[in-house]
Amino acid sequence: LNIEELERRLVPAILLNPTTLLYTDVDGDRVTVQVSGPAGPQFTLDEFTFVSAGQGEQLQQIDLTSSPAGFAGSNLTIQVKRQSGDGLANIGYINASGIDLGNVTLKGDLGRIDAGTGVGSTPAIADLHVHSLGAMGLSTQPDGGSLQSNIMGPLGDFRVDTNIQGAALSVFAPAIGGPGPGPGPGDGPSTSTTSPPLITQMTVGGSIIGSDDFESGLISCDGDIGTANVAGSLQGGAGIHSGGIQCSGHIGEIMIGSLVGGNGTSSGSIHARGIDDLTVNGSVVAGAGFGSGSIQGNDLGNVTIMGSVTGTAVNPAQITAVSQIRTEERIIERQVPEMVWVEVCNRNGVCHEQLEKVTVTRQVPITVEVESRGQINNLSIQGNVDFANIVAGFDGQIGSVWVGGHWHASNLAAAVSAGPDGFYGTTDDVLRIRAKDESAGRIGSITIMGGLLGSSNPDEHFGIAAREIDSFFANSTGKIQLHPGPSNDDFLLGLTGNFRLREVPVGPPSPG
Ligand SMILES: [Ca+2]
Ligand SMILES: [Ca+2]
Ligand SMILES: [Ca+2]
């Protein structure tokens, strides 16, 4: 047996034919790397970087960049025949920078992949399917490696059988044509709802796990995501924005096991411009990092949390609908008065010049503010809410909130800032409203099946605050009879003496 092992070590990778490479993995597994594609791609040994290790070789890199035309649209399949090893082939880096790929399948861990021309609507990778991403760290790569993957253009189907661990994958909208933000027809803002998503579908069988590094374990998308399913958690690490999903566009449907914040700011979080449907099968738990374990978007449709939402007194869990106000330059036509000299003649033919006011049409550049107000349509939390802030921003609105358990030391606010004292439900709360319509600063219905509690610290205060609240029920208080109309309800609720439901008056806060 020892002799056989020794012989294996001595057999280097070979090209079985121009489209098939064979090598022996570090643990003795036999690995086949195959390529196919429309341009009849062919391997040479130059595309591969190996280092001798263990019972065979570590494939550190597959570099296709020497022949972009030949490898355009290629499918790359890495299969493993289990021998003495784990049945996986862990590979460091697939470099297809500037090349759009077809299906990439790896039965093993991948440290990093770069692909895509960054131009047009052709996918940068049509289908990326790996066993894990980043689980081996940098150990499979040459010195100076990285766990950052850059996908320049649409990513079709993205599947990871187990975990994404410490590795970051960024998908960038193509510079010209194709989906994602960018100049649309007529120079208007992008209408991403009409173009296909930048990531069609994402499926992670395990968790997305952040590490100590900035944006480690972060899936970021410079456009829309169709559907996403993470069976495990978004698990934040010490790195800022680590272990999360960040999407500058809209997410259609997303299902996640749990959100678990780490020590890093905004770690273990999901941030998107909009989400139609978010289901968290477990709980949302803030960590030590500010804003960790948070859900944030401009437009949140249905948010369903099967477990609880749990923060700490120091660092509340946050579900935030952020309002976005941006300025836009527009050219409008205006009728403007102008004084001009005109010649006026009398009956006798005597003329003189005099100043006359006339109206002329001029094109005038103006700056307008365009608002996308923060909104949460339906929020359902089956478990408890402890130390949480659920807030919609400027002109924000919240539809219905249903909580199966208790509501404790937590705030719910639409278009209200806590004011100088930093607490909701007190008289210095300030309405943040500029829109004229009645839905700004409005909360539809609130139902809390369990008890309602502030805290035992009389120096603290908690509240439900908005311009107008349509209905309120808690098991501990029963249904509160609210008066129709805005800014006319104020109730002390619960037994702790520091929790109020309050419709905030328009205008400056009342003294005291
Ligand atoms: Ca192996
Ligand atoms: Ca206050
Ligand atoms: Ca009212």
Side-chain angles (χ1 to χ4, degrees), residues 42-367:
Q42 296 198 341
F43 283 143
T44 67
L45 283 174
D46 291 343
E47 274 86 47
F48 300 90
T49 305
F50 285 100
V51 64
S52 289
Q55 298 171 40
E57 290 174 293
Q58 172 62 53
L59 177 50
Q60 293 184 318
Q61 184 171 298
I62 303 174
D63 188 340
L64 306 178
T65 58
S66 61
S67 179
F71 288 112
S74 284
N75 306 305
L76 210 52
T77 307
I78 295 122
Q79 288 173 308
V80 184
K81 192 173 176 201
R82 186 174 190 153
Q83 302 285 322
S84 52
D86 56 7
L88 303 171
N90 305 317
I91 294 178
Y93 178 27
I94 297 173
N95 184 0
S97 295
I99 303 168
D100 289 334
L101 294 177
N103 302 334
V104 177
T105 307
L106 167 60
K107 196 165 184 294
D109 183 65
L110 181 64
R112 174 189 183 196
I113 182 167
D114 290 335
T117 58
V119 177
S121 56
T122 305
I125 307 176
D127 184 322
L128 175 61
H129 183 188
V130 299
H131 181 75
S132 61
L133 194 70
M136 298 298 290
L138 296 173
S139 67
T140 51
Q141 298 184 41
D143 288 346
S146 157
L147 294 176
Q148 171 70 51
S149 295
N150 294 315
I151 312 298
M152 312 305 288
L155 175 57
D157 202 349
F158 174 40
R159 282 179 290 164
V160 180
D161 293 339
T162 60
N163 294 335
I164 297 174
Q165 193 168 344
L169 183 125
S170 304
V171 184
F172 296 91
I176 309 159
D187 288 331
S190 72
T191 48
S192 50
T193 44
T194 58
S195 58
L198 195 54
I199 300 177
T200 308
Q201 189 178 328
M202 169 177 151
T203 311
V204 179
S207 295
I208 301 180
I209 304 166
S211 70
D212 292 351
D213 296 328
F214 176 71
E215 296 192 346
S216 55
L218 179 72
I219 306 303
S220 63
C221 180
D222 187 18
D224 295 345
I225 298 176
T227 62
N229 192 330
V230 180
S233 312
L234 299 188
Q235 195 176 313
I240 295 171
H241 292 171
S242 62
I245 296 173
Q246 230 171 50
C247 171
S248 66
H250 222 87
I251 302 177
E253 200 177 319
I254 179 162
M255 196 177 279
I256 294 171
S258 286
L259 264 66
V260 183
N263 290 336
T265 301
S266 293
S267 62
S269 297
I270 172 162
H271 292 189
R273 194 182 71 212
I275 303 174
D276 291 343
D277 239 306
L278 166 64
T279 304
V280 179
N281 284 314
S283 290
V284 174
V285 183
F290 177 77
S292 63
S294 65
I295 297 167
Q296 186 179 304
N298 171 236
D299 180 6
L300 300 173
N302 299 311
V303 178
T304 306
I305 297 160
M306 303 306 286
S308 294
V309 176
T310 311
T312 65
V314 178
N315 197 32
Q318 298 181 33
I319 299 174
T320 314
V322 189
S323 294
Q324 294 174 339
I325 296 171
R326 63 179 194 280
T327 54
E328 264 183 24
E329 299 292 326
R330 287 185 189 162
I331 305 287
I332 59 159
E333 288 196 338
R334 277 247 168 95
Q335 306 287 313
V336 291
E338 212 170 79
M339 301 302 285
V340 292
W341 288 100
V342 292
E343 190 177 54
V344 181
C345 300
N346 67 16
R347 224 173 276 162
N348 303 325
V350 180
C351 299
H352 68 282
E353 287 197 325
Q354 68 181 48
L355 270 175
E356 288 269 326
K357 189 169 152 185
V358 297
T359 301
V360 295
T361 302
R362 290 213 188 282
Q363 294 206 323
V364 186
I366 57 161
T367 303

Side-chain angles (χ1 to χ4, degrees), residues 489-502:
D489 283 296
D490 189 358
F491 292 92
L492 184 67
L493 298 177
L495 299 171
T496 55
N498 61 352
F499 192 101
R500 293 193 91 87
L501 178 149
R502 193 158 181 271

Side-chain angles (χ1 to χ4, degrees), residues 440-464:
R442 190 165 191 162
I443 302 176
S445 68
I446 303 157
T447 308
I448 297 164
M449 300 307 284
L452 188 70
L453 295 159
S455 71
S456 57
N457 180 355
D459 293 336
E460 294 179 326
H461 208 282
F462 301 90
I464 294 171

